[in-house]
Amino acid sequence: MGFWDKAFQATKDVGTTAANSLNEKANEIRQLKEKYESMSDEELIRIVNSDGFFGKTQTEKGVAFSALKSRGYNTDDIRSR
């Protein structure tokens, strides 16, 4: 295998890994959206405002925030609770 074949294979492997990672993240977000749609507004607000070591991840907070925005909340309403 020549230099260009090895370089092409390395690039292809990196691209495949990145695509798989993006696909996994998309599935995680999709599952969170389904789960959070059935939660109450107060539960979602707690998720968005959670802090500390045992707080929720940024992905979880983002999905909860998005769910609240779709229910008509604005940023000030969410942050002030």
Side-chain angles (χ1 to χ4, degrees), residues 12-81:
K12 182 180 169 186
D13 291 345
V14 168
T16 300
T17 301
N20 289 342
S21 178
L22 287 172
N23 195 24
E24 288 174 12
K25 193 66 166 178
N27 286 335
E28 176 189 357
I29 291 170
R30 193 175 306 111
Q31 290 172 350
L32 283 172
K33 282 182 181 181
E34 290 173 5
K35 178 181 175 183
Y36 287 2
E37 284 177 358
S38 63
M39 289 182 153
S40 71
D41 294 351
E42 291 302 319
E43 289 173 308
L44 293 173
I45 289 170
R46 261 186 257 122
I47 290 170
V48 170
N49 293 323
S50 67
D51 286 326
F53 184 73
F54 295 107
K56 299 295 184 177
T57 66
Q58 291 302 314
T59 301
E60 291 171 308
K61 288 180 180 186
V63 172
F65 187 83
S66 177
L68 288 166
K69 293 283 280 187
S70 71
R71 293 179 186 183
Y73 284 85
N74 65 38
T75 304
D76 293 333
D77 292 339
I78 297 168
R79 298 287 181 201
S80 67
R81 290 184 168 210

